[in-house]
Amino acid sequence: MTKIWLLNPCLVLGVDPFTNNYIVPNQIDGVNKFKTLRSGYERNGTFRERGKGAYDSLGLNLNLDDPIAQKNDASKFGDIVYSRTLLESTSDSEDVWSKWSEKSRIIEQIFPLETSCEDLQDQKGEIKLKQRTKTCKWLSKRRYGKTRKWCKESDVREKCSKTCEVDCYPKGRKSPHNFPRDDYNSIVDGMKRLADDYPNFVTLTTSQGRYGLPKAGSTSNHILIIEDKNRHSSAIGKKLSKSLPEVFFSGALHGDERNGPTVTYETARLLVLSAACNSGGDEISIKTACRELSRHKSTPWAVPWLARLVSTRRIVIVPMANALGFKRKTRAENGIDPNRDFAFDQSPSKCMKTIAGRTINEIFRESLFQISITFHSGIELIGNCEKKSCFVPKKSCFVPFVNYFGFCAATILCSISFLSGWEWGNVGRMNAKKNGFSPDDEGQRQLSEEISSYCGSFGQTRKYITGSINNGLIYAVEGGMEDWAYGGSWDSKFMTTCNPSTYGGYSKSKTQYEDSTLRSFNLLVETSNDKDPFESSLGSDEDLFNPRGVGNGHISRNIRLTLMVADVVEPYSSIVSINKQDAPLDIVPGIPVEARSCISRKFVNIDLLASSDASSVTLDWVVGGSFTVDETKLMYSKWEDVPEKFNCVQQPTEQEYIEYESSSFTSSTSIQNGHTRWTDAETFSGKDDPNPHFSETIDLSSFSSGDSIAVFAVCVVDKMWAKQPTKVQPNVPPQSHVVNSRTNSDWNHIISNGKTVQGRIHWISVPVTINLQ
């Protein structure tokens, strides 16, 4: 039988979100290997037996015969508690301890280790942490990262001004970046640094400078635009830029909901650094970007993927939409709720009253956003627990289900949060079961559910609950951004022309929209139960792309959410290997595009006389930007037979594709089907490419030496998105750009500045050129 002794006195490292008990250092059979849960001690000093079932379910017995040695009302990290509690394992199997270890690591990332210690690093990069208190010691062979030296026990912590951070990661790998709780000034300063260091990828402006809007108070409303300017600087690049798929991310429409600005800024930073690093060069800023990204070496596929997003999308971010409210930490802007301020199902005198609302309105007027996200926080779901033994702590969080340990999921740190879904959400479109869902419900549903999977869970914070807003998941509102962004251009029943009087008024023409403008999937994301959760629950970028990673937290998982949305806004396919050797990347950021430049960049030379195997070539490809791969294949011919419109840069129209595919000189492989990485988004691939690979072997025997062959990967995706529930309101086909762009070849929308969305069924890759010699 294995025993875990919790010795006294012990430094409080954290609070167990399962039981409210303290987390302290411990020993197992005298060997300092595991950190576990200090049981039986409440924040108020009252002894309880609550939580015993958690230990029993892991094969652990909780010995409560040794009571608290000394009552000590510890309530802060770093305080000392006194205990001598014994945990005994009923099994010596490794499985028991691996389960316990996993739970400990989850808690560790919620409450990063902060302890009095001396830091010694051996050759393997392991770190030994020795408590200044004589009886508590802890050694972790897994713990890499920054640790902080606390004041000695005899010191007054408030007066201790010196802390030391130790970079104890193995050589060549940076320690994790723990996400901070940002304020207005830190977000603005960060955006300015990005714009100054990486002007080829970042445009930073304000709604005051760009649109002439007044300020609310003394704050400006900043807008961050991420796109590959150099790539689109050529003549054909400028044409390509008009058809870039656009996404929009908004943080802090309510100023007291604090997660959104950090999520959006950290996402922007990660994208920009990735594009800069992948562009190559000797500039200091590029080397800095690559050095910052070295912490993601364990997922080598991630940086090229993120760089591709920057070069093939236009990403518009307003981290602090309600800049005044965020600076003041208040929900409203000068007493007005910005999420009741939009021109949809609202009285003309009650919409566009805020600068926050007008800022978003102006951005949408010059864009064709296909997907948008507005980040919120602060929702608590009210229901009844199913167990009679449900314990509701002082800081209540009622949960209508029982967690996997078998006792009520109601703790002082519980955070049951929602991806509270998709349209409809206005008062006039409620009761989906009776009156109908939105015309785009199928696509909205799949996107939201898979986003929830990719976000994952951590500690007591579970995966996001998803659903249509008008199906009872959350309350209805008038003038909400969600329905406005989705239906404001076509649902005439609720369209509103605003006539506000605030800030000197706002022209009625500003809320008279083109038919193409407001057709976005707009997801409202409730990021956490607390509007301003503990900084220790925000997470880090350690294991960032793993939904079950040790760094998962409120910020970490919503960065993944944002990146996933940026990916699925437009389908794509890419040939990734030739005869099992990595193929050159489709796109190198920062290089101006030219027609058919891929011929000299993405190619392979094959000597027909070299061997008997030279008469064929095997190609692997992937499909992204979508969920279901309904059809995919390779299509190829001599370059001399490829139509001019197939220029390595732009997608051909559906008619141009059909004409080329059906011509006598074009060959195709058999049709395959499958799925992309996003249909199993919670599966983590580690260092391997997360995209499922398709593979085919092409017979080259009909070609001759000197021929140059163009090979395209073709895909048809997400056909189910065109289907609808039995009843929709209003009774019309799908109306969003993101659904029609991949399911309806007749869909064509263009606005006055030339931006366009063109629907198609078939999506082709940048081709590989095979030169026969």
Side-chain angles (χ1 to χ4, degrees):
M1 178 174 290
T2 306
K3 300 179 180 180
I4 303 178
W5 285 96
L6 302 185
L7 306 177
N8 61 311
C10 285
L11 191 72
V12 176
L13 304 181
V15 178
D16 169 25
F18 298 116
T19 64
N20 289 346
N21 296 323
Y22 289 111
I23 304 169
V24 297
N26 68 276
Q27 296 181 329
I28 295 178
D29 283 346
V31 179
N32 304 304
K33 284 187 176 180
F34 287 86
K35 173 168 67 69
T36 184
L37 310 180
R38 182 254 190 264
S39 177
Y41 192 88
E42 296 281 326
R43 291 177 72 94
N44 61 6
T46 303
F47 181 79
R48 287 176 181 263
E49 206 174 307
R50 193 181 83 262
K52 186 175 185 299
Y55 300 93
D56 293 340
S57 67
L58 291 173
L60 299 170
N61 287 333
L62 183 59
N63 186 339
L64 300 175
D65 293 334
D66 193 355
I68 300 298
Q70 178 179 343
K71 179 178 178 180
N72 181 30
D73 192 12
S75 60
K76 296 180 180 179
F77 305 125
D79 286 347
I80 302 299
V81 294
Y82 299 85
S83 68
R84 187 174 178 273
T85 304
L86 173 64
L87 298 179
E88 299 177 345
S89 171
T90 57
S91 169
D92 286 325
S93 68
E94 289 294 323
D95 182 56
V96 170
W97 295 112
S98 65
K99 287 181 180 178
W100 186 256
S101 172
E102 180 64 23
K103 300 309 170 195
S104 298
R105 289 190 306 146
I106 289 174
I107 293 164
E108 180 180 328
Q109 63 85 24
I110 299 176
F111 302 99
L113 176 65
E114 295 180 327
T115 179
S116 300
C117 62
E118 294 175 4
D119 304 296
L120 300 172
Q121 186 174 11
D122 63 19
Q123 293 179 351
K124 296 181 179 180
E126 298 175 350
I127 186 168
K128 298 178 180 180
L129 306 176
K130 184 180 294 185
Q131 296 272 20
R132 291 189 185 277
T133 52
K134 295 180 180 180
T135 54
C136 291
K137 298 180 180 179
W138 186 60
L139 168 67
S140 172
K141 291 185 177 180
R142 291 191 312 271
R143 174 99 187 150
Y144 298 114
K146 291 182 178 179
T147 60
R148 180 172 296 164
K149 181 183 292 184
W150 287 66
C151 304
K152 294 181 180 180
E153 180 183 351
S154 59
D155 293 339
V156 178
R157 287 183 52 203
E158 288 74 9
K159 295 181 179 180
C160 180
S161 59
K162 293 183 178 180
T163 61
C164 66
E165 292 189 348
V166 181
D167 189 353
C168 51
Y169 260 72
K171 186 177 181 180
R173 183 179 172 194
K174 286 186 69 66
S175 58
H177 168 52
N178 295 310
F179 296 120
R181 169 58 68 220
D182 292 305
D183 59 19
Y184 176 86
N185 290 328
S186 63
I187 293 286
V188 172
D189 291 344
M191 291 190 292
K192 288 180 178 178
R193 285 194 299 271
L194 279 181
D196 291 342
D197 292 343
Y198 307 103
N200 292 334
F201 300 108
V202 178
T203 299
L204 178 61
T205 184
T206 65
S207 60
Q208 287 71 35
R210 192 176 182 93
Y211 308 116
L213 295 180
K215 291 182 179 181
S218 61
T219 57
S220 297
N221 300 74
H222 288 82
I223 304 164
L224 196 68
I225 303 171
I226 300 174
E227 60 184 324
D228 192 338
K229 300 177 190 177
N230 281 357
R231 174 174 168 80
H232 303 115
S233 60
S234 62
I236 194 171
K238 291 177 181 178
K239 293 180 180 179
L240 179 63
S241 71
K242 296 296 185 181
S243 61
L244 284 176
E246 296 185 311
V247 292
F248 176 75
F249 303 129
S250 162
L253 197 57
H254 291 144
D256 59 342
E257 298 169 8
R258 312 297 289 181
N259 289 336
T262 302
V263 170
T264 52
Y265 167 70
E266 292 287 351
T267 301
R269 181 175 178 272
L270 181 61
L271 286 166
V272 171
L273 293 180
S274 297
C277 181
N278 242 38
S279 67
D282 296 326
E283 294 90 338
I284 294 177
S285 60
I286 292 177
K287 291 182 177 180
T288 300
C290 294
R291 186 167 58 251
E292 285 290 313
L293 295 169
S294 66
R295 57 173 58 95
H296 299 301
K297 283 185 177 180
S298 60
T299 50
W301 49 267
V303 171
W305 167 56
L306 299 176
R308 181 188 180 111
L309 296 183
V310 173
S311 292
T312 58
R313 281 107 172 94
R314 183 176 293 111
I315 301 168
V316 182
I317 297 174
V318 181
M320 303 168 290
N322 180 2
L324 180 63
F326 185 72
K327 191 169 186 177
R328 293 177 174 176
K329 298 184 180 181
T330 59
R331 174 184 176 89
E333 177 190 298
N334 283 330
I336 303 171
D337 188 337
N339 205 30
R340 309 295 184 270
D341 199 35
F342 290 88
F344 197 84
D345 195 22
Q346 183 60 282
S347 301
S349 62
K350 294 182 179 181
C351 53
M352 290 296 121
K353 297 175 69 176
T354 66
I355 301 302
R358 295 180 195 181
T359 295
I360 294 173
N361 186 64
E362 294 288 349
I363 294 170
F364 270 75
R365 282 173 51 82
E366 64 174 3
S367 307
L368 284 174
F369 294 120
Q370 296 192 40
I371 308 180
S372 49
I373 293 178
T374 172
F375 287 103
H376 292 260
S377 57
I379 288 294
E380 292 185 0
L381 182 64
I382 298 176
N384 294 315
C385 291
E386 297 179 9
K387 295 285 187 180
K388 293 182 180 179
S389 59
C390 179
F391 172 80
V392 181
K394 292 181 178 179
K395 186 174 181 181
S396 301
C397 177
F398 298 82
V399 185
F401 50 82
V402 175
N403 72 12
Y404 57 87
F405 280 141
F407 58 93
C408 292
T411 73
I412 66 166
L413 291 178
C414 78
S415 182
I416 308 304
S417 41
F418 303 88
L419 177 78
S420 50
W422 58 88
E423 299 72 31
W424 296 110
N426 66 303
V427 175
R429 293 275 186 222
M430 293 307 290
N431 199 342
K433 291 182 179 179
K434 178 180 178 181
N435 300 321
F437 294 87
S438 85
D440 294 85
D441 185 77
E442 185 67 34
Q444 292 166 323
R445 183 181 307 279
Q446 184 174 29
L447 175 61
S448 298
E449 290 174 353
E450 297 300 343
I451 281 175
S452 174
S453 294
Y454 195 44
C455 286
S457 61
F458 62 96
Q460 191 59 30
T461 301
R462 297 180 174 275
K463 291 201 310 185
Y464 284 126
I465 297 172
T466 65
S468 171
I469 297 173
N470 71 342
N471 198 25
L473 185 66
I474 196 172
Y475 53 85
V477 301
E478 297 174 338
M481 177 183 169
E482 294 73 39
D483 286 11
W484 166 82
Y486 171 59
S489 281
W490 58 271
D491 191 359
S492 57
K493 181 177 180 179
F494 296 104
M495 292 163 61
T496 305
T497 299
C498 301
N499 186 28
S501 59
T502 56
Y503 300 105
Y506 192 58
S507 173
K508 290 182 179 180
S509 64
K510 299 288 189 176
T511 50
Q512 295 170 347
Y513 305 105
E514 298 182 50
D515 180 60
S516 305
T517 304
L518 299 172
R519 295 177 177 269
S520 172
F521 270 14
N522 194 88
L523 299 177
L524 180 148
V525 180
E526 293 285 354
T527 59
S528 64
N529 185 65
D530 289 324
K531 292 187 176 184
D532 189 5
F534 294 121
E535 187 168 345
S536 55
S537 70
L538 302 183
S540 74
D541 63 3
E542 183 175 9
D543 220 4
L544 178 62
F545 304 101
N546 182 358
R548 295 183 297 276
V550 297
N552 204 11
H554 295 305
I555 304 302
S556 315
R557 66 174 179 170
N558 282 288
I559 289 174
R560 284 196 301 278
L561 179 156
T562 309
L563 295 174
M564 180 178 174
V565 165
D567 186 84
V568 301
V569 70
E570 183 175 88
Y572 59 91
S573 54
S574 177
I575 297 173
V576 295
S577 73
I578 306 168
N579 286 334
K580 304 305 178 182
Q581 298 297 313
D582 289 345
L585 295 175
D586 290 344
I587 296 165
V588 178
I591 298 178
V593 295
E594 298 294 345
R596 297 200 169 183
S597 58
C598 64
I599 296 176
S600 60
R601 187 173 49 79
K602 189 162 185 168
F603 67 92
V604 60
N605 297 324
I606 296 181
D607 188 346
L608 294 174
L609 302 178
S611 68
S612 58
D613 295 335
S615 60
S616 64
V617 61
T618 299
L619 301 176
D620 285 16
W621 72 98
V622 299
V623 178
S626 54
F627 296 91
T628 303
V629 183
D630 299 292
E631 300 177 16
T632 188
K633 65 179 182 178
L634 296 178
M635 179 177 65
Y636 56 99
S637 72
K638 297 179 184 179
W639 261 114
E640 62 191 53
D641 296 323
V642 178
E644 183 180 356
K645 293 289 187 178
F646 289 69
N647 56 20
C648 305
V649 177
Q650 297 166 297
Q651 291 286 331
T653 65
E654 192 66 19
Q655 184 59 39
E656 290 167 346
Y657 167 81
I658 292 172
E659 291 175 358
Y660 173 59
E661 191 269 345
S662 60
S663 65
S664 59
F665 44 77
T666 303
S667 300
S668 297
T669 62
S670 58
I671 294 176
Q672 302 182 43
N673 56 55
H675 57 85
T676 73
R677 63 180 288 197
W678 300 124
T679 56
D680 194 13
E682 62 186 332
T683 299
F684 180 56
S685 64
K687 67 178 182 179
D688 299 324
D689 184 353
N691 296 289
H693 283 214
F694 299 90
S695 184
E696 278 285 3
T697 299
I698 295 176
D699 183 5
L700 302 176
S701 60
S702 61
F703 298 96
S704 304
S705 177
D707 288 342
S708 290
I709 305 165
V711 185
F712 301 86
V714 183
C715 64
V716 178
V717 301
D718 295 336
K719 292 168 68 173
M720 280 292 295
W721 282 20
K723 298 184 179 296
Q724 295 179 302
T726 303
K727 182 179 288 188
V728 298
Q729 54 173 325
N731 188 20
V732 295
Q735 295 295 305
S736 69
H737 289 310
V738 71
V739 168
N740 282 282
S741 65
R742 66 190 68 195
T743 63
N744 181 2
S745 59
D746 294 328
W747 189 263
N748 182 263
H749 280 257
I750 186 170
I751 56 177
S752 56
N753 61 12
K755 291 182 179 180
T756 182
V757 176
Q758 173 63 59
R760 53 180 46 84
I761 305 298
H762 294 86
W763 299 83
I764 68 168
S765 70
V766 173
V768 162
T769 298
I770 301 174
N771 297 315
L772 300 182
Q773 300 173 348

